Amino acid sequence: MRNYPERSSDLQSKPMIILKGGLFLLLGCLSAGLLLSSIISLRNVFLLGLTIWSFCRAYYFAFYVIEHYVDDSFRYSGLFDFAKHWLGRLKP
């Protein structure tokens, strides 16, 4: 039987956090570039930008706005936990 090291739930290393953010940015730029290279038009560039901006604002709302302005007792570890909590509140 193999002994696996304990998994940490949070990334603690500041350089690794910065690297992770940079890799997300690189992945987003590469995928947007590949997507737009096949269907380039001003309309598609605008719609892709609007889509990205809208999802970023929704993510910001789900974590920062809810926690700081709506209910400061809720903490979520991800969007699935956020959705489960709010969908659970809809049940009678």
Side-chain angles (χ1 to χ4, degrees), residues 10-24:
D10 292 330
L11 183 59
Q12 302 291 323
S13 169
K14 288 181 183 180
M16 292 304 291
I17 292 170
I18 292 169
L19 176 65
K20 184 178 179 180
L23 290 173
F24 280 132

Side-chain angles (χ1 to χ4, degrees), residues 17-86:
I17 292 170
I18 292 169
L19 176 65
K20 184 178 179 180
L23 290 173
F24 280 132
L25 181 63
L26 178 65
L27 180 63
C29 289
L30 287 174
S31 62
L34 288 171
L35 177 65
L36 290 173
S37 69
S38 64
I39 53 170
I40 189 99
S41 73
L42 189 57
R43 177 178 170 263
N44 288 340
V45 171
F46 173 75
L47 289 174
L48 180 61
L50 183 62
T51 301
I52 292 168
W53 178 81
S54 298
F55 277 116
C56 289
R57 296 302 296 174
Y59 190 86
Y60 170 79
F61 178 82
F63 290 98
Y64 188 83
V65 173
I66 296 293
E67 179 182 329
H68 288 89
Y69 297 105
V70 176
D71 192 345
D72 63 356
S73 67
F74 293 118
R75 302 284 189 273
Y76 307 100
S77 61
L79 288 176
F80 290 117
D81 288 334
F82 176 79
K84 282 193 304 188
H85 174 76
W86 287 98

